[in-house]
Amino acid sequence: MEAVLEQQLRETMKNPAIIGVLCADEQGLNLGCRGSLVDEHAGVVSVLAQQAAKLTADPTDVPVICLESDNGNIMIRKHGSITIAVHKMSV
């Protein structure tokens, strides 16, 4: 599985608009990252996704968190037990 994840991270970073990507588990441990998103971000990303999920009564509703700044947008979403964050440049 690790090789598949590494391949997906590389493929994601090939998009010129994407400047960072990170995958974390439910405990906030970094499973893999590239670019602007680094190991230290894994815990925060995981907690944000968990807290956002508590805002909805529907357990099948998976929220997407979007952090906007002058340096781009970071989108965070859970996929099963993995949380994914993608940092895209502003256009």
Side-chain angles (χ1 to χ4, degrees), residues 24-41:
D25 70 5
E26 291 178 313
Q27 285 76 45
L29 297 173
N30 179 23
L31 300 175
C33 59
R34 295 280 187 280
S36 64
L37 297 175
V38 295
D39 187 52
E40 292 81 19
H41 297 129

Side-chain angles (χ1 to χ4, degrees), residues 10-22:
R10 280 193 299 276
E11 288 296 317
T12 301
M13 289 300 294
K14 287 181 180 178
N15 183 328
I18 295 176
I19 57 175
V21 62
L22 179 138

Side-chain angles (χ1 to χ4, degrees), residues 7-87:
Q7 176 64 25
Q8 287 299 318
L9 293 171
R10 280 193 299 276
E11 288 296 317
T12 301
M13 289 300 294
K14 287 181 180 178
N15 183 328
I18 295 176
I19 57 175
V21 62
L22 179 138
C23 295
D25 70 5
E26 291 178 313
Q27 285 76 45
L29 297 173
N30 179 23
L31 300 175
C33 59
R34 295 280 187 280
S36 64
L37 297 175
V38 295
D39 187 52
E40 292 81 19
H41 297 129
V44 174
V45 164
S46 181
V47 168
L48 282 172
Q50 290 171 15
Q51 294 301 314
K54 293 178 181 178
L55 296 174
T56 178
D58 182 0
T60 62
D61 187 19
V62 181
V64 175
I65 301 110
C66 183
L67 306 172
E68 296 180 359
S69 75
D70 293 339
N71 296 325
N73 299 335
I74 300 175
M75 288 155 295
I76 302 167
R77 185 172 193 269
K78 280 187 71 82
H79 291 274
S81 63
I82 296 175
T83 302
I84 300 170
V86 177
H87 188 184

